[in-house]
Amino acid sequence: MCVGDGEGQALALRPPGRFLSIFLLLSLLSVVCAEGSDWPNFLGPSQNGKSPEEIDIAPWPGAGPRVVWQTDIGTSYGAPTVANGKLFIFARHRDMARLSCLDSKTGTERWRFEYPTDYEDMYGYNNGPRCCPVVDEERVYIFGAEGLLHCVNAFDGALLWKVDTTARFHVVQNFFGVASAPVVEGELLIVQIGGSPPGSPKNIWGANGKPKPNGSGIVAFDKHTGEVVYQIADELASYASPIIATIKGRRWGLAFLRGGLLGFEPATGTMDFHYPWRHPKIESVNASSPVIAEDLVFISESYGIGSSVIQVRPGGYRVVWKDNPRRREKAMELHWNTAIHHEGYLYACSGQRSNGAELRCVEFKTGKVMWRQRVDERASLLWVNDYFIYLGEFGRLMLLKCTPEKLEIVSQTVPMDENGKALIQYPAWAAPVLADGLLYVRGKDRLVCFALASQ
């Protein structure tokens, strides 16, 4: 049964009314069953690409980990998220942006929410969403490539509120649209917006790469109503997502915006510092989220200036190390993937292009490259139980053991279907997701669920 939102612009497929109480009861039971094994945010429960699960993992057979289920999906670059036995995937289906809720263990659709969109990518990339859904208890937040921010009910997909951020904050269209996933902090939904004054050029080319800001680099919305609580920073949005962390007993918001790293207090919006970090060329991109270890924060880009680590403190920062922009060799050059910190070292795929891309291990506090391995594809990593799961953009999966001394490939495969065609098609740019022992990977138009735990 399809039910409108009252404005004729969004539809939600809901369970029939007489089964609603049973549906809610089963959903509540799934909260208990799945507690502690969810992946509700971009980069996981702690926003660091690491899973807390202790899974018994064995080397994969030649065909790779066992496929549990697979399904065709629309176009998107966003990863799924998983919470309370439900998987949420946000994708474009013709002229509709659709949030689908699936049973995480079977792939069976429970409900869908969709709205019309006419977004067109300026560079001809796919026109689907870039952000993953964000789950917070009974709410799911989606942020479309065109700037529409929606909050829906996680149980049935009913619309709770929406904001057209492009219209409200006069956002000048960036090269690849909106691609920074929001984050929930307490009663707030914290979002990169990056608006401009009314009358600004329509897109970033029209503004010669430098649209004027209007103090909305970061906007905090009331997560229940969508009302603006505060807005800060004369900055434009990037494609990296804000990270919230506790550092020396204080909560911090760290957002790698278009022009650099912003440090702020997430509850109040009080700004502590802005650390400039961006190559001056118009097409340069900040898309890799900050990585935090103790009071140190790592940022990286792949357009010419590389990486840096700063030590943060209330009201300021100290530069620990930074790549020299005049030198060709950089410690890390991260494009759209985010590094994983483990026991004092960073692990990630460095390189702007596929050709020459390398897996690297870098010492967090010094920037020293411990080792490098050429892979000739950009890739994302996920850490679980002392293993790294590697997802290459052309559909290759690897099971790795990484230490500061060496890289060990335990298993590698390109999963195939019954016709010998790769299951995971280029571009596999969404980071892999792990929940309750199941590994979820998306490629161009397919979502595949693998059993990661040994049988």
Side-chain angles (χ1 to χ4, degrees):
M1 167 169 77
C2 293
V3 181
D5 72 343
E7 299 179 353
Q9 295 183 349
L11 299 175
L13 184 65
R14 304 176 186 170
R18 63 190 179 128
F19 296 120
L20 184 57
S21 60
I22 297 175
F23 177 78
L24 291 174
L25 177 60
L26 291 173
S27 298
L28 290 171
L29 286 173
S30 70
V31 172
V32 177
C33 297
E35 185 176 2
S37 60
D38 290 343
W39 195 275
N41 304 305
F42 181 59
L43 300 177
S46 298
Q47 293 189 278
N48 60 4
K50 302 178 81 170
S51 169
E53 297 188 25
E54 296 182 0
I55 301 173
D56 182 18
I57 302 174
W60 300 335
R66 178 175 61 88
V67 175
V68 179
W69 57 265
Q70 56 180 298
T71 187
D72 293 333
I73 53 175
T75 58
S76 173
Y77 294 119
T81 45
V82 182
N84 305 330
K86 296 187 285 290
L87 180 143
F88 302 93
I89 186 78
F90 188 31
R92 176 83 172 259
H93 297 258
R94 294 191 177 91
D95 61 351
M96 302 295 285
R98 179 186 299 170
L99 171 65
S100 299
C101 174
L102 313 179
D103 185 287
S104 62
K105 291 182 171 57
T106 67
T108 302
E109 184 176 86
R110 293 188 175 188
W111 53 257
R112 66 176 63 166
F113 169 88
E114 53 189 11
Y115 65 88
T117 181
D118 59 0
Y119 170 80
E120 292 185 11
D121 189 81
M122 291 176 61
Y123 270 40
Y125 287 84
N126 83 48
N127 297 325
R130 280 82 169 110
C131 301
C132 69
V134 174
V135 188
D136 176 52
E137 297 178 342
E138 71 274 16
R139 292 168 295 276
V140 184
Y141 303 95
I142 51 174
F143 199 18
E146 73 296 292
L148 287 173
L149 179 64
H150 288 84
C151 173
V152 304
N153 188 297
F155 295 120
D156 61 6
L159 177 66
L160 300 177
W161 57 261
K162 65 180 179 180
V163 176
D164 184 341
T165 65
T166 296
R168 179 163 185 174
F169 298 96
H170 310 288
V171 178
V172 172
Q173 183 177 348
N174 210 340
F175 295 117
F176 310 112
V178 171
S180 174
V183 61
V184 174
E185 171 68 3
E187 298 302 300
L188 302 176
L189 182 72
I190 295 174
V191 189
Q192 275 204 49
I193 299 293
S196 295
S200 296
K202 182 179 179 181
N203 61 49
I204 198 164
W205 280 120
N208 196 29
K210 297 180 179 179
K212 293 181 180 179
N214 68 354
S216 63
I218 293 290
V219 177
F221 298 89
D222 183 305
K223 71 178 185 180
H224 300 282
T225 66
E227 295 299 317
V228 173
V229 177
Y230 66 76
Q231 60 184 68
I232 56 173
D234 266 332
E235 261 275 30
L236 302 180
S238 73
Y239 309 111
S241 294
I243 302 295
I244 309 296
T246 300
I247 299 175
K248 293 188 173 179
R250 202 204 96 170
R251 294 295 275 172
W252 280 81
L254 294 151
F256 193 20
L257 298 161
R258 179 169 168 81
L261 180 67
L262 178 72
F264 63 101
E265 188 176 39
T268 64
T270 302
M271 292 190 293
D272 289 279
F273 64 82
H274 180 270
Y275 176 45
W277 197 258
R278 180 179 176 269
H279 195 279
K281 67 175 69 172
I282 291 178
E283 297 100 327
S284 70
V285 165
N286 289 340
S288 181
S289 294
V291 179
I292 302 163
E294 299 175 344
D295 59 351
L296 303 181
V297 182
F298 167 83
I299 52 174
S300 182
E301 60 87 70
S302 65
Y303 285 74
I305 59 173
S307 302
S308 182
V309 166
I310 64 172
Q311 183 182 42
V312 303
R313 63 178 186 276
Y317 65 90
R318 177 181 71 87
V319 177
V320 177
W321 63 265
K322 62 181 180 179
D323 282 326
N324 187 332
R326 292 184 295 275
R327 291 182 180 176
R328 183 175 181 179
E329 182 63 28
K330 306 293 194 298
M332 282 275 200
E333 294 178 282
L334 302 188
H335 196 189
W336 37 257
N337 62 309
T338 296
I340 292 180
H341 169 259
H342 186 60
E343 297 182 346
Y345 295 87
L346 295 161
Y347 300 88
C349 185
S350 179
Q352 183 183 342
R353 297 176 176 85
S354 303
N355 185 36
E358 297 179 334
L359 275 183
R360 292 189 182 184
C361 172
V362 172
E363 189 173 37
F364 197 109
K365 292 184 178 181
T366 67
K368 178 183 177 181
V369 178
M370 307 302 294
W371 51 256
R372 62 186 74 198
Q373 174 66 50
R374 185 164 173 168
V375 291
D376 284 328
E377 63 179 348
R378 293 163 298 184
S380 300
L381 297 176
L382 181 155
W383 182 95
V384 57
N385 203 22
D386 282 332
Y387 286 94
F388 285 86
I389 309 298
Y390 167 109
L391 171 63
E393 60 183 320
F394 300 111
R396 176 167 55 154
L397 285 174
M398 291 197 287
L399 182 64
L400 309 175
K401 280 281 192 178
C402 298
T403 69
E405 292 73 37
K406 66 177 182 178
L407 162 67
E408 176 189 355
I409 301 175
V410 178
S411 304
Q412 65 174 314
T413 185
V414 177
M416 300 288 183
D417 64 16
E418 62 276 8
N419 298 314
K421 184 179 179 180
L423 278 178
I424 306 162
Q425 295 285 317
Y426 174 89
W429 291 351
V433 166
L434 177 63
D436 200 23
L438 298 177
L439 178 70
Y440 302 93
V441 175
R442 70 154 300 152
K444 178 182 178 181
D445 53 9
R446 180 162 292 268
L447 176 65
V448 185
C449 172
F450 298 94
L452 186 57
S454 60
Q455 300 300 310

